[in-house]
Amino acid sequence: MSTKHSSKGVITRLQEYLLYTDVKFYILKHFSKIIGIALKGEKTNAVFIENVLAFLESLSLKSSESDSTFLCKDITTGVSNYKFDPMEMKKSFSNCWLQILKCRINFDQYKRVLLILDASVLPHLAKPLLMTDFLLSAYNVGGSISLLALSGVFTLITKYNLEYPEFYTKLYQLFTPELLHVKYKARFFHLADIFLSSSPLPAYLLTAFIKRLSRLCLTAPSTAIPMVIRFIHNLIHRHPSLIKMLDNEDATPVEDPYDNDEKDPAKCGAIDSSLWEIVSLQEHVLPQVSQVAKDLVEKGLREMELDFSSYLETTYQELFEKETKKKIFANVPVNWEMPIGLKMAKDDIFSQIIEV
């Protein structure tokens, strides 16, 4: 854990020894002490923090380490005297993370931590709720940081009984035009699909999300619109009473009660609105977009939910290739008489200007 040079080479070499549970246990135990001493002595510079995070990122904990192999054992019998204490290891692992997150980490390190926190860190902490302040602070930052903190916050709510009544309000605020341009878009929509699949969610909340998504379609890149419309279809499919948003003729682009600038989904007026945005997309220049809009408006709900996962990372190149591979219609209308000039409509203004 040098404060002067990178230790990534040493950490890589250490990986083969970290396969042994007893080695991992004692390394974590002393590692926690080293970080604590560095914090007290104010020796946690950027190099030290990077080395600590690189080690913690490379560390893989299992749900049950007791079945693992041990390095320290009797040569003749192969029996180890090591007594595995899972709670002690969790405490050391927790101390490492809680101490290093008190340091001033940079933006890239911040994102790296959030990427692994939900799957690789929270399940192995002695008290996962101790990460509440860190995750909620990240969730309130906005932008890509909020997207990355999303899964961790939801895990604390569902698995560890964290009370955070503003979760869906904050989630609603994350649906911005910038969302459809970030590289974490696929991760976000995958998680949002899970969060919004709960049946007890009130109608006003679901209509707010549906309306927000339909409004985003007006400014979204063409590659993302088919995915968003399928996402809207699935939300309505889970709650068929919301189909009225497609048939509401009272809400038009001119007299739409929906307030797109309102941050509270309960006050935005979406429940009295319509999906005129999707109706307008039937005239989109790209057939892939106009067709999926027509399917929703004209055909309504399908028998089952639509798969939108294959559209999460669609590119313009893929749209172009798909269009060029379409089969040409066999019955193309042609003129059976050889044209002898430019045919104008009767009394057309151009026939008075152009001599045929």
Side-chain angles (χ1 to χ4, degrees), residues 125-142:
L125 295 179
K127 296 180 180 179
L129 286 176
L130 292 176
M131 282 289 181
T132 300
D133 289 342
F134 177 78
L135 281 169
L136 290 185
S137 296
Y139 193 44
N140 292 323
V141 167

Side-chain angles (χ1 to χ4, degrees), residues 277-290:
E277 298 91 346
I278 307 300
V279 174
S280 67
L281 287 173
Q282 294 180 104
E283 307 299 328
H284 197 279
V285 65
L286 288 182
Q288 294 95 332
V289 175
S290 60

Side-chain angles (χ1 to χ4, degrees), residues 203-351:
Y204 80 84
L205 184 65
L206 290 165
T207 54
F209 279 99
I210 291 172
K211 185 63 180 179
R212 185 82 161 210
L213 284 165
S214 64
R215 185 63 60 88
L216 286 180
C217 286
L218 297 180
T219 56
S222 302
T223 54
I225 297 176
M227 179 271 295
V228 176
I229 294 179
R230 283 175 168 83
F231 191 91
I232 291 173
H233 170 276
N234 291 348
L235 288 179
I236 299 176
H237 187 277
R238 294 168 192 162
H239 308 273
S241 62
L242 305 182
I243 193 69
K244 63 181 182 180
M245 295 187 74
L246 283 171
D247 305 324
N248 188 1
E249 298 180 355
D250 295 332
T252 63
V254 179
E255 299 178 355
D256 192 343
Y258 174 68
D259 183 1
N260 194 46
D261 296 325
E262 175 58 55
K263 295 183 178 180
D264 188 347
K267 301 177 181 178
C268 66
I271 198 166
D272 297 318
S273 185
S274 69
L275 299 184
W276 58 263
E277 298 91 346
I278 307 300
V279 174
S280 67
L281 287 173
Q282 294 180 104
E283 307 299 328
H284 197 279
V285 65
L286 288 182
Q288 294 95 332
V289 175
S290 60
Q291 187 58 52
V292 73
K294 288 177 181 177
D295 287 345
L296 179 58
V297 175
E298 297 177 0
K299 297 181 181 179
L301 298 182
R302 306 292 182 87
E303 294 182 357
M304 60 182 65
E305 293 187 15
L306 301 175
D307 176 29
F308 67 90
S309 58
S310 58
Y311 291 85
L312 285 172
E313 297 182 356
T314 304
T315 63
Y316 282 106
Q317 180 68 22
E318 291 171 342
L319 286 180
F320 181 79
E321 289 178 357
K322 186 176 181 180
E323 195 64 24
T324 56
K325 290 178 181 178
K326 284 185 177 179
K327 293 182 179 180
I328 300 174
F329 293 104
N331 300 321
V332 179
V334 294
N335 189 1
W336 57 277
E337 287 185 348
M338 179 68 71
I340 56 174
L342 187 62
K343 182 64 176 177
M344 300 290 185
K346 187 177 181 181
D347 299 327
D348 188 272
I349 184 64
F350 288 103
S351 61

Side-chain angles (χ1 to χ4, degrees), residues 4-235:
K4 296 180 180 179
H5 57 81
S6 173
S7 299
K8 287 186 178 180
V10 181
I11 294 170
T12 302
R13 182 72 177 86
L14 183 65
Q15 295 306 301
E16 62 182 271
Y17 294 100
L18 290 176
L19 297 175
Y20 301 102
T21 301
D22 49 352
V23 174
K24 191 184 301 183
F25 176 85
Y26 285 106
I27 283 181
L28 274 173
K29 186 175 181 179
H30 290 285
F31 199 70
S32 174
K33 294 179 181 178
I34 292 171
I35 300 174
I37 293 170
L39 280 171
K40 290 180 181 178
E42 298 183 353
K43 295 181 180 179
T44 56
N45 60 13
V47 176
F48 178 83
I49 294 171
E50 179 59 34
N51 286 332
V52 172
L53 288 177
F55 169 74
L56 291 175
E57 285 175 320
S58 67
L59 191 64
S60 175
L61 294 187
K62 302 174 185 176
S63 56
S64 175
E65 295 279 352
S66 56
D67 298 330
S68 302
T69 56
F70 305 121
L71 180 67
C72 300
K73 54 190 175 183
D74 190 282
I75 297 176
T76 55
T77 62
V79 178
S80 174
N81 292 324
Y82 166 72
K83 302 299 182 183
F84 176 63
D85 187 345
M87 282 308 300
E88 191 66 27
M89 179 178 276
K90 281 191 172 186
K91 287 179 182 178
S92 298
F93 183 71
S94 300
N95 287 336
C96 291
W97 275 107
L98 293 172
Q99 290 181 115
I100 199 60
L101 291 180
K102 292 178 182 178
C103 302
R104 190 182 294 275
I105 61 177
N106 61 39
F107 187 71
D108 289 335
Q109 293 168 342
Y110 202 15
K111 292 194 292 186
R112 281 162 50 194
V113 169
L114 290 171
L115 276 170
I116 66 171
L117 204 58
D118 182 33
S120 303
V121 179
L122 289 180
H124 307 295
L125 295 179
K127 296 180 180 179
L129 286 176
L130 292 176
M131 282 289 181
T132 300
D133 289 342
F134 177 78
L135 281 169
L136 290 185
S137 296
Y139 193 44
N140 292 323
V141 167
S144 61
I145 294 296
S146 292
L147 302 186
L148 294 175
L150 190 59
S151 57
V153 174
F154 191 72
T155 297
L156 291 182
I157 293 172
T158 55
K159 292 185 178 180
Y160 304 105
N161 301 318
L162 172 68
E163 293 186 9
Y164 185 49
E166 298 299 315
F167 176 79
Y168 282 100
T169 300
K170 183 61 182 177
L171 179 65
Y172 174 77
Q173 294 169 11
L174 292 179
F175 282 86
T176 61
E178 294 77 18
L179 169 66
L180 298 174
H181 296 271
V182 298
K183 66 177 181 178
Y184 303 115
K185 174 185 65 179
R187 175 189 175 101
F188 176 82
F189 273 94
H190 172 72
L191 292 171
D193 184 54
I194 297 173
F195 305 154
L196 296 173
S197 61
S198 176
S199 55
L201 293 177
Y204 80 84
L205 184 65
L206 290 165
T207 54
F209 279 99
I210 291 172
K211 185 63 180 179
R212 185 82 161 210
L213 284 165
S214 64
R215 185 63 60 88
L216 286 180
C217 286
L218 297 180
T219 56
S222 302
T223 54
I225 297 176
M227 179 271 295
V228 176
I229 294 179
R230 283 175 168 83
F231 191 91
I232 291 173
H233 170 276
N234 291 348
L235 288 179

